[in-house]
Amino acid sequence: IIRILQKFFPRANQQEIDMVISELSDRLEEIMLDSYANYMFQTLAQAVHQNRGIVCYRRLDDIIIRK
């Protein structure tokens, strides 16, 4: 599924990307630490609209601060 998402993100519209982010938001830490899924996250980060990217990065800040 990771490869499918990597191919999907560059072609996806903002609404589709927002939907994926909403579904993955609770698992961002796990995705970033996984040796394969982090590539998918990088592809997602490149495809995200700037404002939505800020939301992702704030979520990551929350995760880092908790540790």
Side-chain angles (χ1 to χ4, degrees):
I1 189 142
I2 292 169
R3 289 187 187 266
I4 293 168
L5 287 173
Q6 278 183 272
K7 291 178 183 178
F8 169 76
F9 291 140
R11 299 186 322 254
N13 64 41
Q14 194 58 46
Q15 183 180 3
E16 293 167 330
I17 290 173
D18 287 347
M19 186 174 18
V20 172
I21 290 172
S22 293
E23 291 295 320
L24 297 177
S25 65
D26 292 337
R27 302 187 77 186
L28 285 177
E29 179 181 17
E30 180 183 343
I31 290 168
M32 291 193 64
L33 296 176
D34 183 271
S35 58
Y36 296 105
N38 69 26
Y39 292 110
M40 184 267 312
F41 181 82
Q42 291 173 26
T43 306
L44 171 63
Q46 292 172 355
V48 198
H49 183 268
Q50 184 177 4
N51 293 336
R52 191 61 172 148
I54 291 170
V55 171
C56 284
Y57 294 125
R58 283 187 182 145
R59 171 79 176 124
L60 294 173
D61 281 346
D62 291 344
I63 291 168
I64 292 168
I65 290 171
R66 275 188 304 172
K67 300 225 173 211

